[in-house]
Amino acid sequence: METHFEINSVTAKLPKHLHKFIVKQPYQEYTAQNQAVWRYVMRMNVDYLSKVAHKSYIPGLKKTGISLENIPHMEGMNRILKEIGWAAVSVDGFIPPNAFMEFQAYNVLVIASDMRTINHIEYTPAPDIIHEAAGHAPIIANPEYAEYLRRFGEIGSKAISSAKDYEVYEAIRRLSILKENPNATQKEIDDAQEKVEWLQENMGELSEMAQIRNLHWWTVEYGLIGSLEHPKIYGAGLLSSIGESAWCMQPQVKKVPYSIHAATINFDITKPQPQLFVTPDFAYLSLVLDEFANTMALRTGGLKGVQKLINSENLGTIELTTGIQISGVFTNVIQYKNNKVAYFQTVGKTALANRDKELIGHGVTRHPAGFGSPVGKLKGINLPIEDMSPRDLKAYGIYEGEFMTLEFESGVIVKGKAITGTRDLRGKILIITLDDCTVTYQNEILFQPEWGLYDMAIGKEVISAYSGAADVASFEDYSKVSEIKTHKITYSESEKELYFLYSKVREMRVENSVTEEKIIAILNHLKLKFPNDWLLLLELYELALNHNFSIKNDLLNILIDLKSNKSYTALIENGLNLHQN
């Protein structure tokens, strides 16, 4: 089967519904200036982060195939990543949180393939290949952290979203794209910022997904490790930002012990963070994750879990005590005393499964218009249906070919003729199928004979509720790809001329064909047409310094003069310090 991405032993396991988020890495679209930005950031990062990053970072760069000189090719990264059981795929900017988590659960890093512009060299509001490849990849070479990341994806992909979460995701995606697009107008950016802030202020109670995204942000993206007094960096957002990696170590950035409380602390993805959380070690991250998972409907189920799915307005799954799983869009739940579920209903395509495998004959073609079933024990009978032996079932009139009336403790009444039953491998009954069936609750008709056969799921309680389908093959296209696409930057003729100069300098360095005459010619061109381009001047200065050309002094003086522009002061000083070390 042909795909638009590289298939290897890791990516081959990805379910089909995730394939649509993967794009081909646009390697030929990276300009020579993009390559220079990568080189500057990476060399600056390694110089600084060797002192302040977790000890896994520098060895991790080598283990994951991250070069300081070139933006990585996804295929090359994959060849090396598979040695540690991971892979990488290219995506277009932010993808929906559930999909992002699910990729992670399959040991796949999603890498936003765009490259930050020189104007955002210190910090980018949009995910880019520096953030993803040079930030996330190195730390996963640490086995303990890699397992935390995988487990986080596994649990996070089950977190239930609210109906508003997707709207917030779309608004943040749009804002990040506009902020990184030099062709965007300030009004467009301001309007998008205003919308994000309004949505974030009017979210109401945080959903599970919003909370676990907070945990992800304060650990995987912006985490510190060690002691509060002397923390080290391991979060990808910090590892990939030469501005924030230095800023975060300042005393004005509050350092807080990491705990489950971080789930309630929101963040602004477009601004530097005012406080950061410090974990004592990677093992503690997994402890907090498990503590949070214990609060999720995934583990608590019950009425509240079904209500979370209803509020999400998205595909979700509940599991009953028998192990039967019902996947669909939940629209209604009837409750009775002690906040128990009496009856649940889905609308539209629904599938039934057991142990995450669709039950034969119970996919969406069998249940195209929805599904409903009572939950609980029968009135006056202490033995739940699921625990009844064939002899018990017969004694209580639950027998194939028999017309029966089942009155549940909740008041739901099922009347009909039993046709057959579906059992699991251990013999536990999962479904009873009835003909000529009527289901009522008080004066409400929940099912009537004209609708066909009635499949009643068996289980005395809802033990789990989570986002997505039990069997990922049951629903192929339930996750949406954003219609807001990353803008392809339109370059002017002048910019193309500048990038050509960058390519000539890059060519000299790679081919070792440096001459003082070539440097002088490019310098004269820069002085005439691009006098404020500090990065190419730094690259020329580096070449002149390495070859001890006399032009190095002129280049240094120009760079010193250019430092008077406050926009470039720190960038030039850092670059000069790097070359003079």
Side-chain angles (χ1 to χ4, degrees):
M1 181 183 70
E2 285 192 19
T3 61
H4 56 292
F5 59 94
E6 185 181 40
I7 293 289
N8 60 29
S9 57
V10 180
T11 56
K13 296 173 184 174
L14 285 172
K16 287 182 181 178
H17 69 265
L18 292 179
H19 290 191
K20 60 180 170 287
F21 293 106
I22 303 172
V23 300
K24 186 174 177 58
Q25 184 186 17
Y27 204 90
Q28 298 308 314
E29 293 179 18
Y30 299 137
T31 67
Q33 188 186 66
N34 289 152
Q35 294 284 1
V37 167
W38 169 275
R39 186 169 180 268
Y40 177 91
V41 172
M42 290 305 299
R43 295 172 80 209
M44 205 64 62
N45 272 358
V46 168
D47 180 63
Y48 175 67
L49 292 173
S50 60
K51 308 176 189 76
V52 298
H54 186 267
K55 61 184 180 181
S56 297
Y57 178 72
I58 299 299
L61 283 173
K62 296 173 184 174
K63 284 184 182 177
T64 51
I66 307 295
S67 160
L68 305 192
E69 294 293 321
N70 304 301
I71 297 172
H73 284 272
M74 211 64 64
E75 293 83 358
M77 277 189 69
N78 268 325
R79 282 192 291 274
I80 298 168
L81 281 171
K82 73 177 182 180
E83 298 300 319
I84 57 172
W86 281 72
V89 294
S90 180
V91 296
D92 178 28
F94 288 117
I95 64 173
N98 283 91
F100 178 88
M101 299 285 185
E102 197 172 356
F103 273 107
Q104 207 166 280
Y106 283 92
N107 283 21
V108 175
L109 285 177
V110 289
I111 294 184
S113 54
D114 285 301
M115 180 66 196
R116 69 188 64 181
T117 59
I118 193 169
N119 294 331
H120 291 132
I121 194 167
E122 291 189 281
Y123 169 81
T124 175
D128 78 331
I129 196 162
I130 293 180
H131 172 89
E132 309 286 9
H136 285 295
I139 303 296
I140 67 166
N142 179 297
E144 191 174 29
Y145 181 74
E147 175 55 20
Y148 166 71
L149 207 61
R150 185 202 65 78
R151 185 71 171 148
F152 199 108
E154 191 174 53
I155 292 170
S157 64
K158 303 295 186 185
I160 301 171
S161 302
S162 73
K164 289 184 178 179
D165 283 340
Y166 193 80
E167 191 177 356
V168 171
Y169 153 72
E170 286 276 279
I172 289 175
R173 176 178 166 84
R174 176 175 171 77
L175 175 61
S176 69
I177 289 170
L178 288 171
K179 280 198 167 188
E180 188 54 41
N181 180 9
N183 300 321
T185 67
Q186 190 58 47
K187 185 177 187 312
E188 285 177 315
I189 294 170
D190 291 343
D191 289 348
Q193 179 80 45
E194 187 178 329
K195 183 170 184 180
V196 167
E197 290 174 359
W198 187 89
L199 286 169
Q200 289 179 329
E201 289 168 6
N202 292 274
M203 283 290 289
E205 184 180 353
L206 290 179
S207 69
E208 288 181 355
M209 178 52 74
Q211 291 181 71
I212 207 162
R213 279 187 68 218
N214 285 344
L215 290 182
H216 195 272
W217 183 262
W218 298 122
T219 60
V220 176
E221 297 293 353
Y222 278 81
L224 298 176
I225 188 168
S227 67
L228 292 178
E229 296 77 22
H230 303 288
K232 298 289 187 181
I233 298 170
Y234 73 93
L238 297 172
L239 292 175
S240 60
S241 170
I242 54 179
E244 282 213 277
S245 60
W247 162 253
C248 76
M249 290 299 173
Q250 302 304 311
Q252 56 263 49
V253 179
K254 189 177 178 183
K255 313 298 191 299
V256 183
Y258 180 60
S259 71
I260 195 172
H261 176 64
T264 64
I265 308 299
N266 291 329
F267 56 87
D268 185 339
I269 204 161
T270 66
K271 297 177 183 176
Q273 308 309 310
Q275 95 285 305
L276 296 171
F277 291 88
V278 185
T279 183
D281 48 48
F282 287 143
Y284 187 70
L285 295 179
S286 295
L287 286 176
V288 173
L289 175 61
D290 202 56
E291 185 183 357
F292 180 77
N294 286 336
T295 71
M296 292 170 60
L298 173 68
R299 295 187 180 176
T300 60
L303 176 67
K304 193 172 181 181
V306 181
Q307 287 171 332
K308 283 182 179 180
L309 285 178
I310 292 170
N311 293 338
S312 78
E313 300 176 12
N314 281 306
L315 177 67
T317 297
I318 64 170
E319 182 174 332
L320 307 186
T321 41
T322 54
I324 189 170
Q325 299 159 309
I326 299 93
S327 300
V329 177
F330 288 80
T331 55
N332 188 35
V333 64
I334 298 172
Q335 69 178 88
Y336 74 113
K337 62 182 181 181
N338 299 325
N339 287 325
K340 291 185 177 179
V341 175
Y343 196 91
F344 65 84
Q345 284 179 302
T346 67
V347 65
K349 293 179 178 179
T350 304
L352 310 185
N354 179 234
R355 296 189 175 187
D356 299 337
K357 292 293 181 185
E358 184 177 292
L359 290 170
I360 295 171
H362 285 283
V364 297
T365 52
R366 168 85 172 198
H367 308 288
F371 183 87
S373 181
V375 178
K377 293 179 2 182
L378 297 174
K379 188 176 182 180
I381 302 173
N382 287 328
L383 190 64
I385 295 175
E386 64 197 73
D387 294 332
M388 291 181 182
S389 67
R391 185 175 293 179
D392 294 325
L393 290 168
K394 187 172 184 180
Y396 290 114
I398 306 172
Y399 198 70
E400 290 181 14
E402 298 289 328
F403 194 90
M404 59 188 183
T405 297
L406 302 176
E407 184 176 355
F408 287 79
E409 288 178 334
S410 62
V412 174
I413 298 173
V414 177
K415 294 181 179 181
K417 185 171 72 173
I419 299 295
T420 187
T422 301
R423 298 177 183 272
D424 66 11
L425 286 172
R426 295 163 297 176
K428 181 162 284 195
I429 191 161
L430 303 176
I431 301 168
I432 295 175
T433 301
L434 301 100
D435 193 11
D436 194 21
C437 185
T438 302
V439 183
T440 58
Y441 176 73
Q442 297 177 354
N443 296 321
E444 183 181 0
I445 296 175
L446 302 174
F447 193 89
Q448 52 194 21
E450 294 80 13
W451 297 351
L453 296 178
Y454 181 69
D455 295 308
M456 181 173 69
I458 304 301
K460 60 180 181 286
E461 289 179 46
V462 175
I463 61 169
S464 182
Y466 54 88
S467 176
D471 186 337
V472 293
S474 295
F475 302 82
E476 282 198 17
D477 291 311
Y478 64 84
S479 47
K480 294 187 289 185
V481 176
S482 175
E483 294 181 5
I484 304 170
K485 302 302 180 187
T486 300
H487 299 153
K488 297 302 177 188
I489 299 173
T490 304
Y491 298 114
S492 66
E493 290 304 314
S494 175
E495 286 170 323
K496 290 176 183 176
E497 184 180 351
L498 174 62
Y499 301 157
F500 177 74
L501 297 180
Y502 270 93
S503 68
K504 298 303 289 182
V505 172
R506 180 176 175 81
E507 184 181 288
M508 278 196 290
R509 184 174 59 248
V510 171
E511 297 179 358
N512 197 22
S513 59
V514 186
T515 66
E516 189 159 17
E517 291 72 22
K518 289 179 182 177
I519 291 177
I520 292 170
I522 292 172
L523 174 60
N524 288 336
H525 198 149
L526 270 180
K527 286 197 288 190
L528 182 65
K529 299 290 293 288
F530 310 103
N532 293 322
D533 194 278
W534 60 273
L535 182 55
L536 192 52
L537 280 170
L538 265 177
E539 293 222 321
L540 289 173
Y541 175 67
E542 178 191 353
L543 291 176
L545 194 64
N546 290 344
H547 290 80
N548 200 27
F549 293 149
S550 59
I551 192 65
K552 68 183 180 184
N553 297 318
D554 290 343
L555 285 161
L556 180 59
N557 289 331
I558 295 169
L559 284 164
I560 290 170
D561 287 343
L562 203 53
K563 280 201 307 181
S564 61
N565 185 323
K566 290 182 180 179
S567 301
Y568 312 139
T569 304
L571 292 166
I572 293 172
E573 282 181 355
N574 290 338
L576 290 174
N577 289 337
L578 188 67
H579 298 318
Q580 290 165 1
N581 284 342

